[in-house]
């Protein structure tokens, strides 16, 4: 299913700036209204998506006449799924949609000095220029082995030839962030429990070690169910597609100390201190990152940045990434949250 929703955050007098209405429940589904809905995959609805994006742009350029008033709309896209953004930007092969860092560098296998971290280096113009420079006579992007430095993940033409709209898609969305980050945490935990220093969940890649990975996952879920009552990482028992690892489950396991301690107890003792710090740090960062604006509370961006970078280095330095064998991969979402959310 493909869905656009809109939420009215507030209304003010354009001449005086006086607020006429403020939405105090912007995170509530009851304050959102559908703008466009269709069934199917993003890839097969390019024409519909392009039309809707152009109509939204026209609304923002306004004004819209309502009765005797001219209404000017100021809005931006948020909570946009990463798959949709990749499709819109033509970055189907990108590890990160905000910067040009490769998976090897981002996971500590490149030349990376302490705190020499990542800035948002992509822009709408850069995305379009890269495609224009790479495309062949038929508009396709040729690929070859080890060409990430040249293509930077560019796989096809951006859906819209509009720098401003493309720029609006190059941002970090909190949508699904906690689920994707926590899914990575579980993969790390299963590897540590099984003693497997090869980053994969696949039977072919893991070979004879696969049975130990499966056993670790089974044991972890049994322990968590017994001690917390939470069905953590299993097929959805209601018959719906997917598994039980939804946002509320991730929040309970990551956000409650007693549940975090259950997870910490599952990993080998030499990793428990670092794993505890990882879970605590991720909860604080994700909680701040996805929180509502509050006029009475402010985030010190410099402190938040250092928390993110410290946790990034803790991950690289404490979970099997020896200089001679760096086996662990960060997920693109985890990289984006820690490297770009500040």
């Amino acid at each position: 299913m493909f869905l656009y929703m809109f939420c009215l955050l507030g209304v003010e007098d354009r001449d005086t700036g006086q607020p006429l209405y403020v939405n105090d429940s912007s995170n509530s589904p009851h304050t959102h209204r559908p703008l466009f809905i269709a069934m199917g995959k993003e890839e097969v609805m390019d024409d519909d998506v392009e039309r809707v994006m152009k109509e939204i742009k026209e609304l923002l350029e306004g004004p819209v006449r309502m009765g005797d008033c001219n209404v000017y709309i100021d809005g931006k896209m948020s909570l946009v799924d990463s798959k949709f953004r990749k499709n819109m930007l033509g970055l189907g092969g990108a590890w990160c949609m905000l910067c040009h860092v490769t998976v090897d560098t981002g996971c500590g296998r490149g030349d990376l000095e302490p705190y020499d971290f990542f800035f948002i280096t992509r822009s709408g113009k850069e995305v379009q220029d890269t495609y224009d420079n790479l495309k062949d006579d038929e508009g396709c992007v040729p690929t070859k082995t080890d060409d990430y430095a040249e293509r930077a993940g560019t796989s096809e033409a951006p859906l819209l030839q509009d720098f401003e709209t493309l720029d609006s898609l190059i941002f970090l969305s909190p949508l699904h962030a906690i689920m994707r980050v926590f899914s990575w945490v579980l993969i790390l935990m299963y590897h540590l429990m099984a003693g497997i220093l090869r980053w994969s969940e696949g039977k072919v890649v893991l070979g004879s070690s696969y049975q130990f990975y499966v056993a670790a996952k089974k044991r972890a879920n049994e322990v968590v169910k017994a001690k917390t009552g939470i069905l953590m990482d299993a097929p959805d028992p209601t018959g719906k597609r997917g598994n039980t690892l939804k946002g509320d489950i991730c929040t309970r396991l990551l956000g409650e100390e007693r549940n975090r301690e259950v997870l910490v107890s599952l990993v080998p003792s030499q990793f428990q201190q670092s794993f505890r710090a990882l879970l605590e740090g991720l909860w604080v960062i994700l909680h701040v990152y996805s929180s509502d604006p509050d006029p009475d509370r402010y985030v010190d961006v410099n402190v938040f940045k250092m928390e993110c970078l410290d946790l990034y280095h803790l991950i690289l330095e404490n979970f099997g990434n020896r200089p001679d064998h760096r086996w662990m991969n960060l997920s693109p979402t985890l990289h984006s949250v820690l490297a770009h959310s500040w």
Side-chain angles (χ1 to χ4, degrees):
M1 185 174 70
F2 186 78
L3 176 67
Y4 275 102
M5 302 284 286
F6 78 92
C7 176
L8 180 64
L9 300 180
V11 179
E12 66 178 33
D13 187 298
R14 193 165 186 257
D15 295 327
T16 66
Q18 179 183 356
L20 305 176
Y21 166 77
V22 176
N23 184 352
D24 295 325
S25 305
S26 58
N27 278 350
S28 169
H30 299 294
T31 64
H32 291 65
R33 296 294 180 269
L35 197 64
F36 171 74
I37 185 170
M39 302 299 292
K41 295 288 187 179
E42 295 93 330
E43 295 87 345
V44 300
M45 293 189 296
D46 285 355
D47 291 341
D48 289 331
V49 171
E50 184 174 1
R51 174 177 56 81
V52 172
M53 292 292 288
K54 287 181 177 178
E55 290 176 357
I56 292 174
K57 188 172 186 295
E58 290 172 2
L59 282 175
L60 297 178
E61 291 173 347
V64 177
R65 191 70 179 174
M66 293 187 179
D68 296 329
C69 300
N70 284 329
V71 177
Y72 294 84
I73 301 172
D74 181 15
K76 64 170 57 178
M77 297 183 69
S78 63
L79 299 177
V80 184
D81 181 79
S82 60
K83 186 177 179 183
F84 168 73
R85 285 189 289 140
K86 277 191 174 185
N87 188 48
M88 293 289 291
L89 293 165
L91 295 176
W95 185 63
C96 178
M97 285 181 285
L98 286 85
C99 72
H100 294 77
V101 168
T102 66
V103 60
D104 283 338
T105 300
C107 296
R109 291 187 286 271
D111 296 328
L112 191 65
E113 297 297 326
Y115 302 110
D116 181 21
F117 270 75
F118 319 119
F119 298 95
I120 296 176
T121 56
R122 295 191 192 267
S123 69
K125 185 177 187 307
E126 180 272 335
V127 167
Q128 184 65 55
D129 288 347
T130 300
Y131 167 73
D132 289 339
N133 293 332
L134 293 173
K135 66 180 180 180
D136 58 21
D137 293 340
E138 297 179 353
C140 299
V141 178
T143 62
K144 55 182 181 290
T145 304
D146 296 327
D147 64 348
Y148 197 91
E150 179 184 1
R151 286 197 302 120
T154 302
S155 57
E156 58 188 329
L159 189 55
L160 297 177
Q161 314 300 310
D162 174 17
F163 297 156
E164 185 177 349
T165 304
L166 293 177
D167 275 334
S168 72
L169 295 168
I170 301 174
F171 70 98
L172 184 58
S173 170
L175 181 65
H176 299 155
I178 189 169
M179 290 188 291
R180 288 175 175 155
V181 169
F182 191 69
S183 294
W184 176 88
V185 167
L186 292 185
I187 296 172
L188 173 65
M189 185 177 75
Y190 300 152
H191 278 79
L192 296 177
M193 291 173 64
I196 299 172
L197 301 184
R198 179 177 294 179
W199 193 257
S200 174
E201 297 180 272
K203 186 174 183 179
V204 174
V205 175
L206 292 181
S208 59
S209 298
Y210 180 72
Q211 60 182 316
F212 303 113
Y213 184 87
V214 172
K217 182 175 181 178
K218 180 180 179 182
R219 176 172 169 263
N221 281 277
E222 289 174 348
V223 170
V224 169
K225 182 68 168 64
K227 293 188 176 182
T228 70
I230 297 174
L231 188 61
M232 182 175 65
D233 187 12
D236 193 318
T238 64
K240 299 178 181 178
R241 297 179 63 182
N243 66 7
T244 56
L245 207 60
K246 303 295 192 293
D248 59 333
I249 297 297
C250 299
T251 298
R252 290 172 62 190
L253 289 170
L254 199 57
E256 298 178 19
E257 183 178 4
R258 65 179 183 274
N259 292 338
R260 290 199 300 266
E261 286 302 313
V262 173
L263 300 178
V264 170
S265 70
L266 290 167
V267 303
S269 58
Q270 66 268 33
F271 295 110
Q272 288 186 358
Q273 182 176 352
S274 298
F275 196 65
R276 180 180 293 109
L278 170 65
L279 298 182
E280 291 175 352
L282 286 176
W283 171 244
V284 170
I285 289 168
L286 288 166
H287 191 59
V288 171
Y289 163 61
S290 60
S291 61
D292 283 335
D294 187 337
D296 298 322
R297 301 171 65 187
Y298 297 92
V299 175
D300 187 321
V301 177
N302 289 324
V303 173
F304 184 69
K305 173 182 177 179
M306 294 309 298
E307 289 292 326
C308 290
L309 299 187
D310 284 345
L311 191 61
Y312 206 128
H313 279 286
L314 180 145
I315 294 170
L316 297 183
E317 293 168 2
N318 288 278
F319 297 108
N321 276 358
R322 304 191 309 268
D324 61 328
H325 179 57
R326 297 191 181 275
W327 62 275
M328 182 270 299
N329 281 348
L330 278 78
S331 70
T333 300
L334 180 58
H335 159 79
S336 296
V337 168
L338 297 182
H340 300 309
S341 63
W342 37 267

